[in-house]
Tab-separated table of all heavy atoms in Angstrom:
chain	number	residue	atom	x	y	z
A	355	ASP	N	-0.951	-34.624	-11.619
A	355	ASP	CA	-1.506	-35.959	-11.831
A	355	ASP	C	-1.855	-36.532	-10.453
A	355	ASP	O	-0.975	-36.857	-9.658
A	355	ASP	CB	-0.464	-36.837	-12.539
A	355	ASP	CG	-0.970	-38.221	-12.889
A	355	ASP	OD1	-1.696	-38.814	-12.068
A	355	ASP	OD2	-0.617	-38.719	-13.971
A	356	GLU	N	-3.157	-36.638	-10.165
A	356	GLU	CA	-3.577	-37.025	-8.815
A	356	GLU	C	-3.269	-38.488	-8.504
A	356	GLU	O	-3.100	-38.848	-7.336
A	356	GLU	CB	-5.065	-36.731	-8.639
A	356	GLU	CG	-5.383	-35.239	-8.682
A	356	GLU	CD	-6.862	-34.942	-8.582
A	356	GLU	OE1	-7.675	-35.862	-8.847
A	356	GLU	OE2	-7.206	-33.802	-8.243
A	357	GLU	N	-3.192	-39.342	-9.527
A	357	GLU	CA	-2.888	-40.752	-9.273
A	357	GLU	C	-1.425	-40.955	-8.892
A	357	GLU	O	-1.111	-41.672	-7.946
A	357	GLU	CB	-3.231	-41.599	-10.503
A	357	GLU	CG	-4.718	-41.827	-10.689
A	357	GLU	CD	-5.002	-42.841	-11.774
A	357	GLU	OE1	-4.035	-43.329	-12.418
A	357	GLU	OE2	-6.185	-43.161	-11.987
A	358	SER	N	-0.518	-40.308	-9.631
A	358	SER	CA	0.913	-40.508	-9.370
A	358	SER	C	1.486	-39.479	-8.401
A	358	SER	O	2.531	-39.712	-7.788
A	358	SER	CB	1.698	-40.442	-10.688
A	358	SER	OG	1.670	-39.118	-11.198
A	359	GLY	N	0.816	-38.324	-8.286
A	359	GLY	CA	1.354	-37.237	-7.472
A	359	GLY	C	2.379	-36.397	-8.209
A	359	GLY	O	2.897	-35.429	-7.652
A	360	ASP	N	2.680	-36.745	-9.471
A	360	ASP	CA	3.665	-35.994	-10.250
A	360	ASP	C	3.054	-34.703	-10.798
A	360	ASP	O	1.839	-34.594	-10.982
A	360	ASP	CB	4.182	-36.835	-11.416
A	360	ASP	CG	4.993	-38.022	-10.949
A	360	ASP	OD1	5.561	-37.941	-9.847
A	360	ASP	OD2	5.038	-39.031	-11.682
A	361	THR	N	3.937	-33.725	-11.063
A	361	THR	CA	3.507	-32.437	-11.602
A	361	THR	C	4.271	-32.145	-12.886
A	361	THR	O	5.496	-32.289	-12.934
A	361	THR	CB	3.758	-31.302	-10.593
A	361	THR	OG1	3.011	-31.564	-9.398
A	361	THR	CG2	3.322	-29.959	-11.162
A	362	THR	N	3.549	-31.732	-13.924
A	362	THR	CA	4.146	-31.299	-15.185
A	362	THR	C	4.035	-29.781	-15.270
A	362	THR	O	2.955	-29.221	-15.077
A	362	THR	CB	3.422	-31.939	-16.385
A	362	THR	OG1	3.555	-33.366	-16.286
A	362	THR	CG2	4.018	-31.454	-17.699
A	363	GLN	N	5.155	-29.108	-15.538
A	363	GLN	CA	5.208	-27.647	-15.498
A	363	GLN	C	5.453	-27.084	-16.893
A	363	GLN	O	6.332	-27.564	-17.627
A	363	GLN	CB	6.339	-27.198	-14.560
A	363	GLN	CG	6.327	-25.725	-14.220
A	363	GLN	CD	5.379	-25.391	-13.093
A	363	GLN	OE1	4.928	-26.271	-12.369
A	363	GLN	NE2	5.069	-24.116	-12.938
A	364	LEU	N	4.690	-26.043	-17.268
A	364	LEU	CA	4.868	-25.321	-18.521
A	364	LEU	C	5.079	-23.849	-18.184
A	364	LEU	O	4.205	-23.218	-17.584
A	364	LEU	CB	3.635	-25.483	-19.425
A	364	LEU	CG	3.233	-26.916	-19.786
A	364	LEU	CD1	1.902	-26.918	-20.535
A	364	LEU	CD2	4.310	-27.582	-20.624
A	365	ASN	N	6.226	-23.290	-18.571
A	365	ASN	CA	6.580	-21.922	-18.217
A	365	ASN	C	6.727	-21.050	-19.464
A	365	ASN	O	7.554	-21.349	-20.334
A	365	ASN	CB	7.899	-21.892	-17.430
A	365	ASN	CG	7.802	-22.629	-16.114
A	365	ASN	OD1	6.767	-22.627	-15.461
A	365	ASN	ND2	8.880	-23.277	-15.721
A	366	GLU	N	5.942	-19.977	-19.551
A	366	GLU	CA	6.083	-19.025	-20.640
A	366	GLU	C	7.330	-18.176	-20.409
A	366	GLU	O	7.815	-18.065	-19.274
A	366	GLU	CB	4.838	-18.149	-20.725
A	366	GLU	CG	3.579	-18.917	-21.093
A	366	GLU	CD	2.349	-18.014	-21.158
A	366	GLU	OE1	2.453	-16.811	-20.816
A	366	GLU	OE2	1.276	-18.522	-21.542
A	367	PRO	N	7.874	-17.527	-21.467
A	367	PRO	CA	9.142	-16.800	-21.322
A	367	PRO	C	9.045	-15.461	-20.603
A	367	PRO	O	10.017	-15.007	-20.019
A	367	PRO	CB	9.596	-16.595	-22.775
A	367	PRO	CG	8.331	-16.620	-23.568
A	367	PRO	CD	7.428	-17.603	-22.868
A	368	GLY	N	7.911	-14.786	-20.668
A	368	GLY	CA	7.795	-13.471	-20.052
A	368	GLY	C	7.910	-12.356	-21.071
A	368	GLY	O	8.320	-12.568	-22.214
A	369	PRO	N	7.550	-11.119	-20.681
A	369	PRO	CA	7.559	-9.984	-21.608
A	369	PRO	C	8.971	-9.490	-21.893
A	369	PRO	O	9.886	-9.687	-21.091
A	369	PRO	CB	6.761	-8.916	-20.850
A	369	PRO	CG	7.041	-9.222	-19.408
A	369	PRO	CD	7.123	-10.721	-19.328
A	370	VAL	N	9.148	-8.842	-23.020
A	370	VAL	CA	10.424	-8.194	-23.342
A	370	VAL	C	10.496	-6.883	-22.572
A	370	VAL	O	9.611	-6.026	-22.684
A	370	VAL	CB	10.552	-7.946	-24.856
A	370	VAL	CG1	11.840	-7.188	-25.156
A	370	VAL	CG2	10.506	-9.259	-25.619
A	371	ILE	N	11.550	-6.715	-21.780
A	371	ILE	CA	11.733	-5.505	-20.969
A	371	ILE	C	12.596	-4.514	-21.737
A	371	ILE	O	13.684	-4.857	-22.202
A	371	ILE	CB	12.389	-5.858	-19.611
A	371	ILE	CG1	11.560	-6.933	-18.878
A	371	ILE	CG2	12.521	-4.601	-18.760
A	371	ILE	CD1	10.134	-6.557	-18.599
A	372	THR	N	12.122	-3.284	-21.852
A	372	THR	CA	12.867	-2.253	-22.578
A	372	THR	C	13.919	-1.622	-21.667
A	372	THR	O	13.824	-1.712	-20.434
A	372	THR	CB	11.924	-1.154	-23.080
A	372	THR	OG1	11.408	-0.431	-21.945
A	372	THR	CG2	10.769	-1.733	-23.883
A	373	PRO	N	14.940	-0.964	-22.242
A	373	PRO	CA	15.935	-0.265	-21.407
A	373	PRO	C	15.305	0.757	-20.464
A	373	PRO	O	15.738	0.887	-19.312
A	373	PRO	CB	16.845	0.400	-22.447
A	373	PRO	CG	16.749	-0.476	-23.654
A	373	PRO	CD	15.328	-0.950	-23.681
A	374	GLY	N	14.285	1.476	-20.930
A	374	GLY	CA	13.633	2.449	-20.065
A	374	GLY	C	12.933	1.795	-18.886
A	374	GLY	O	12.965	2.315	-17.758
A	375	GLU	N	12.302	0.653	-19.119
A	375	GLU	CA	11.626	-0.070	-18.033
A	375	GLU	C	12.645	-0.628	-17.038
A	375	GLU	O	12.408	-0.616	-15.818
A	375	GLU	CB	10.766	-1.188	-18.624
A	375	GLU	CG	9.559	-0.662	-19.389
A	375	GLU	CD	8.902	-1.696	-20.279
A	375	GLU	OE1	9.516	-2.765	-20.531
A	375	GLU	OE2	7.768	-1.452	-20.743
A	376	TRP	N	13.775	-1.102	-17.530
A	376	TRP	CA	14.842	-1.594	-16.645
A	376	TRP	C	15.400	-0.462	-15.792
A	376	TRP	O	15.634	-0.638	-14.592
A	376	TRP	CB	15.921	-2.248	-17.495
A	376	TRP	CG	17.149	-2.736	-16.786
A	376	TRP	CD1	18.441	-2.491	-17.147
A	376	TRP	CD2	17.223	-3.568	-15.631
A	376	TRP	NE1	19.307	-3.111	-16.290
A	376	TRP	CE2	18.590	-3.782	-15.342
A	376	TRP	CE3	16.267	-4.151	-14.798
A	376	TRP	CZ2	19.032	-4.547	-14.267
A	376	TRP	CZ3	16.699	-4.925	-13.715
A	376	TRP	CH2	18.061	-5.110	-13.454
Side-chain angles (χ1 to χ4, degrees):
D355 184 320
E356 294 177 341
E357 285 189 357
S358 68
D360 293 334
T361 299
T362 299
Q363 191 83 15
L364 303 173
N365 297 325
E366 295 179 355
V370 176
I371 305 301
T372 68
E375 291 165 346
W376 176 229

